[in-house]
Amino acid sequence: MGAPRAASYDDAPPTDTFDVREAQDGEMLPVRRPADAVAPVAPASIPARAQARLHFVLGALLALGAAGLVVAALIAFSDDRGAAGPSGPAWSQWRPDGDAKARVMEIADRVGRQYRGSGGQQLVAVTGGPLEVAGLPLTVALRESAEQGGDIELKDGDGILYRLCGLGEKC
């Protein structure tokens, strides 16, 4: 065996396959092998039982996806205005009765009864009234985000201020 010669681009026809072996002097050189020396590789097969499981899981996922799309479409295109009026969606099935002042008090009583301690006792007294503090009317002001310009917009309209007062000093 003589000294290994340097491989050149012209030495390897494109149809050949190569096996890399280490030469005696430590260099890595391709060893020429004919193309028909390598047996064809059969594609991997999945057992029939596993295929059935995969088909079932795929079908279930597709059914869930389709159901999700149907639910999303129903939510997007449903008309909730009849239940809540033109101002927005319904927050609760419960509705207070009476005139405006009676409804404010009924809401305050209902909310106050919901705040209970571990012993079952009511924790706060809730009152409702006009949007004012110490007789001074309050104005609702909203600031836009910096990306929208950061302007302040004053909101007009009637508002109600609910106060939750505990039984401790200063509520």
Side-chain angles (χ1 to χ4, degrees), residues 54-119:
L54 287 173
H55 287 132
F56 174 76
V57 170
L58 178 62
L61 288 174
L62 289 173
L64 284 173
L69 288 174
V70 168
V71 169
L74 288 174
I75 290 171
F77 296 113
S78 67
D79 186 14
D80 293 336
R81 293 184 193 162
S87 63
W91 289 8
S92 171
Q93 296 297 323
W94 176 79
R95 298 270 188 256
D97 295 325
D99 64 356
K101 187 172 183 177
R103 289 193 308 264
V104 168
M105 295 311 300
E106 192 175 344
I107 291 170
D109 289 342
R110 182 177 173 96
V111 171
R113 288 190 196 108
Q114 300 296 317
Y115 286 89
R116 301 271 175 188
S118 58

Side-chain angles (χ1 to χ4, degrees), residues 14-165:
T15 58
D16 286 357
T17 59
F18 293 94
D19 184 16
V20 177
R21 295 197 180 156
E22 191 169 339
Q24 291 178 353
D25 59 356
E27 291 186 36
M28 302 291 282
L29 297 174
V31 176
R32 188 181 301 235
R33 300 224 177 197
D36 59 352
V38 178
V41 178
S45 64
I46 299 174
R49 188 171 179 179
Q51 283 182 355
R53 287 181 187 161
L54 287 173
H55 287 132
F56 174 76
V57 170
L58 178 62
L61 288 174
L62 289 173
L64 284 173
L69 288 174
V70 168
V71 169
L74 288 174
I75 290 171
F77 296 113
S78 67
D79 186 14
D80 293 336
R81 293 184 193 162
S87 63
W91 289 8
S92 171
Q93 296 297 323
W94 176 79
R95 298 270 188 256
D97 295 325
D99 64 356
K101 187 172 183 177
R103 289 193 308 264
V104 168
M105 295 311 300
E106 192 175 344
I107 291 170
D109 289 342
R110 182 177 173 96
V111 171
R113 288 190 196 108
Q114 300 296 317
Y115 286 89
R116 301 271 175 188
S118 58
Q121 297 173 328
Q122 185 173 336
L123 295 176
V124 295
V126 181
T127 58
L131 196 58
E132 62 183 33
V133 174
L136 298 173
L138 298 176
T139 302
V140 176
L142 299 176
R143 181 187 308 266
E144 295 176 340
S145 67
E147 294 82 27
Q148 295 174 332
D151 294 340
I152 297 173
E153 180 183 355
L154 299 177
K155 296 291 185 177
D156 293 330
D158 296 329
I160 301 168
L161 180 64
Y162 288 96
R163 296 168 199 84
L164 281 70
C165 184

